């Protein structure tokens, strides 16, 4: 490509120069802080080399917070540009780069790590396991995700961001129309992160099927565990499709093949089909765990068993099946023909049926319940009406004939956000407020949580509701400006104001985290919500081995019924045995670094350098092949000492705080 390495840094724009300076200052501050407080050894031992599912989950969640900030800033910049007609705050190229990175980051690098983080923290605890089935693979999954995310995020200051939209449609994403390296970042970084996600799916399938506590049959599993299982199956089915598509994209861009070109036998529609064969199941990969979170929160704070448990399970399986046969509704307008469009229109509308079953089950769970209006429950309550708006407009878009009017307008953008923000972001916030004590041993401030809730929910509706009407008036998506004569200006301005309220709400959440770390009480009960599932019978924060004695499950909502029988805290010393745990490993971190370096060289089409760096990947695989470390045992005395700090040993008295 003739890339000059001394011209790698993107310059000429004050926003980009400011970002470069901020990145350098942040890195320097982190290095100085770790050195001054002598925390390098602690960072290596406790975090960089950990295989503990809880710590890996926390790192996923912290990554999600960071990516939420980055993707949110992109959104604010877009709203600033469209707040008034013919604004010149961003030029067309910069706007294209920002809406591309906004979509990729929010879906793949914000929503996914938030949910996978909660899955990592909670699922092994809910099924009575001491870790996931493959702890070191779990660590590798995270570090590959993080490596891909960091590689993608440096694009806006090193080399240039991808600019073909988050869907990266061909031929626009090909070399002919996008000769820069920005879309190389898209192809390479998402492959690296996607490998980590695929490994996560495999890991959780095995964990849930093979490591459940004695007595926990599939139909006694908590609903969040069920949704995690089905989500993992979708990941294993869908992510290889995307990985192959990205590999073919890489061949087209780096090596001159013609899989997606308009000439030499290629087909741009091949990319569209492969992308959405992954892309629509991806929507349910992030939605289904969110449904599980809402199920846990609503049941706990309604003081009732989840209504219609069996129908909920059937509906999850139905959604998973239908998610794989609806992808063509993303391109009704691309001349597939009336018969094809009709089939996919029907399957798309059908998916509303199992989703509706879940909505009614949640409503019936709350019916006659003693509802507690905690912050987590407020998010669950707000989800229902907002998500229904997204669902109803989805059925409108499912009608192929009508979609010719809606397609490529802001109506579609509003629908998408009314599905994913209430369906995913609200769930993430609910899950964080709910499970925070299990992760950190203290609770997030409820008063600040309610400020966060109201600001974010109001800001969300003010931001995206006007976009439905803008779309119906003809405002198209992906346009960086519009004329004053169009009449769009008032609604665009309202939407921009809403985005500021939304951002303030997220800022309150971040401040809540800071305030709670500094001032929240640390003597929180192991079961502050009087909850129903097994994770609440562990300490807060959870001891590193999870359970001193693996519990025996006799029925659904096992912990709730254990409390009713008085079986929760008292532990017989004779039942305590030494516990086998996996050892930490620096190999996953090393592999992520090598993958990142290899990917960086590939982005800049430095093929020889990439091949040399890839040798490091092979070396890592060889090292792992000859790794005979079988872990270690936690002694009975250490277990007793740990357990005495938070529960009674035989001879004590029950002191459950509910």
């Amino acid at each position: 490509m003739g890339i000059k390495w001394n011209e790698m840094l993107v310059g000429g724009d004050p926003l980009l120069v400011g970002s470069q300076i901020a990145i350098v200052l942040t890195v320097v501050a982190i290095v100085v802080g770790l050195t001054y407080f002598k925390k390098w050894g602690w960072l290596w031992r406790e975090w960089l080399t950990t295989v503990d599912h809880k710590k890996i989950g926390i790192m996923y969640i912290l990554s999600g917070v960071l990516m939420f900030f980055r993707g949110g800033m992109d959104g604010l910049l877009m709203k600033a540009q469209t707040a008034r007609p013919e604004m010149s705050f961003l030029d067309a190229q910069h706007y294209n780069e920002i809406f591309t990175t906004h979509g990729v980051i929010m879906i793949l690098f914000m929503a996914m790590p938030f949910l996978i983080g909660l899955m990592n923290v909670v699922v092994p605890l809910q099924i009575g396991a001491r870790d996931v089935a493959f702890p070191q693979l779990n660590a590798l999954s995270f570090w590959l995700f993080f490596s891909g995310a960091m590689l993608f995020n440096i694009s806006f200051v090193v080399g240039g961001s991808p600019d073909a939209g988050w869907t990266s449609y061909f031929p626009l994403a090909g070399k002919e129309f996008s000769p820069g390296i920005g879309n190389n970042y898209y192809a390479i970084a998402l492959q690296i992160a996607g490998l980590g996600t695929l490994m996560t799916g495999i890991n959780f399938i095995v964990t849930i099927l093979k490591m459940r506590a004695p007595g926990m049959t599939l139909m006694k599993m908590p609903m969040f565990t069920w949704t995690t299982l089905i989500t993992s199956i979708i990941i294993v089915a869908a992510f290889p499709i995307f990985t192959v598509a990205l590999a073919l994209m890489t061949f087209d861009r780096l090596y001159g093949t013609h899989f997606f070109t308009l000439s030499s036998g290629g087909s741009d529609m091949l990319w569209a089909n492969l992308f959405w064969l992954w892309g629509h199941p991806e929507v349910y990969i992030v939605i289904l765990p969110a449904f599980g979170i809402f199920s846990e929160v609503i049941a706990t704070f309604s003081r009732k068993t989840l209504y219609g448990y069996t129908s909920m399970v059937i509906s999850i399986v139905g959604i998973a099946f239908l998610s794989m046969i609806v992808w063509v509704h993303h391109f009704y307008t691309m001349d597939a023909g009336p018969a094809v469009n009709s089939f996919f229109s029907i399957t798309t509308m059908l998916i509303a049926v199992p989703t509706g079953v879940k909505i009614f089950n949640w409503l019936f769970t709350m019916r006659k319940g003693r509802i507690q209006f905690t912050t987590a429950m407020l998010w669950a309550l707000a989800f229902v009406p907002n998500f229904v708006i997204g669902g109803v407009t989805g059925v409108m878009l499912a009608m192929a004939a009508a979609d010719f009017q809606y397609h490529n307008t802001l109506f579609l953008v509003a629908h998408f956000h009314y599905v994913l923000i209430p369906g995913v972001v609200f769930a993430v916030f609910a899950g964080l407020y709910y499970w925070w004590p299990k992760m950190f041993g203290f609770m997030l401030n409820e008063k600040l949580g309610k400020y966060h809730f109201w600001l974010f929910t109001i800001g969300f509706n003010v931001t995206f509701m006007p976009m439905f009407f803008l779309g119906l008036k003809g405002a198209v998506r992906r346009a960086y400006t519009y004329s004053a004569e169009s009449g769009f200006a008032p609604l665009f301005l309202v939407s921009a104001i809403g985005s500021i309220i939304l951002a303030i709400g997220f800022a309150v959440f971040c401040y809540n985290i800071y305030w709670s770390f500094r001032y929240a009480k640390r003597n929180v009960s192991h079961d502050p919500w009087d909850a129903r599932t097994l994770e609440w019978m562990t300490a807060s924060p959870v001891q590193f081995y999870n359970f001193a004695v693996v519990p025996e499950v006799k029925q659904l909502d096992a912990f709730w019924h254990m409390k009713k029988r008085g079986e929760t805290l008292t532990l017989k010393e004779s039942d305590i045995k030494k516990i086998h745990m996996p050892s930490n490993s620096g190999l996953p971190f090393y592999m992520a670094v090598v993958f990142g370096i290899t990917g960086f060289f590939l982005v800049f089409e430095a093929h020889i350098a990439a091949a040399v760096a890839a040798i490091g990947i092979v070396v890592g695989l060889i090292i792992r092949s000859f790794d005979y470390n079988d872990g270690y045992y936690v002694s009975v005395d250490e277990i007793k000492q740990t357990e005495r700090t938070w529960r009674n040993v035989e001879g004590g008295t029950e002191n459950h705080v509910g």
Side-chain angles (χ1 to χ4, degrees), residues 554-571:
K554 298 177 180 177
Q555 58 210 113
L556 185 64
D557 289 344
F559 181 53
W560 177 262
H561 293 284
M562 288 178 185
K563 286 187 290 186
K564 292 177 70 174
R565 294 192 298 265
E567 301 173 358
T568 54
L569 293 182
T570 302
L571 183 66

Side-chain angles (χ1 to χ4, degrees), residues 19-78:
S19 298
Q20 291 165 354
I21 294 171
I23 290 170
V24 171
L25 292 177
T26 301
V27 171
V28 170
I30 292 171
V31 171
V32 170
L34 289 170
T35 304
Y36 179 80
F37 292 106
K38 300 179 180 178
K39 291 293 186 180
W40 285 106
W42 167 84
L43 180 66
W44 178 257
R45 291 188 307 272
E46 298 295 324
W47 296 98
L48 299 185
T49 63
T50 187
V51 296
D52 185 336
H53 70 96
K54 300 177 290 296
K55 290 183 177 179
I56 291 170
I58 289 169
M59 289 192 291
Y60 269 117
I61 290 166
L62 291 176
S63 301
V65 172
L66 180 64
M67 292 298 100
F68 202 135
F69 175 79
R70 165 68 209 280
M73 289 302 299
D74 286 344
L76 288 173
L77 291 173
M78 287 190 288

Side-chain angles (χ1 to χ4, degrees), residues 353-466:
V353 175
T355 306
V357 169
K358 301 178 79 62
I359 294 288
F360 281 108
N361 282 349
W362 289 318
L363 294 176
F364 282 124
T365 301
M366 290 185 277
R367 180 176 179 265
K368 295 185 178 180
R370 293 177 288 123
I371 296 175
Q372 294 177 309
F373 293 99
T374 61
T375 303
M377 187 62 171
L378 289 177
W379 287 110
L381 291 170
F383 151 76
V384 173
N386 285 286
F387 186 78
V388 166
I389 293 172
V392 169
T393 53
V395 173
M396 294 170 65
L397 287 159
M399 295 182 285
D403 187 62
F404 275 74
Q405 171 66 32
Y406 306 134
H407 191 77
N408 213 38
T409 71
L410 291 179
F411 186 93
L412 188 150
V413 177
H415 152 73
F416 191 67
H417 285 81
Y418 263 89
V419 169
L420 286 186
I421 293 182
V424 177
V425 179
F426 284 19
V428 165
F429 287 144
L432 289 176
Y433 280 99
Y434 181 59
W435 281 304
W436 194 270
K438 276 295 140 209
M439 291 186 276
F440 298 106
F442 60 89
M443 298 171 68
L444 290 172
N445 184 278
E446 281 286 299
K447 184 175 181 180
L448 287 172
K450 289 180 171 64
Y451 283 131
H452 166 213
F453 166 76
W454 286 111
L455 284 167
F456 196 94
T457 305
I458 292 169
F460 160 71
N461 281 282
V462 175
T463 301
F464 294 104
M465 184 60 73

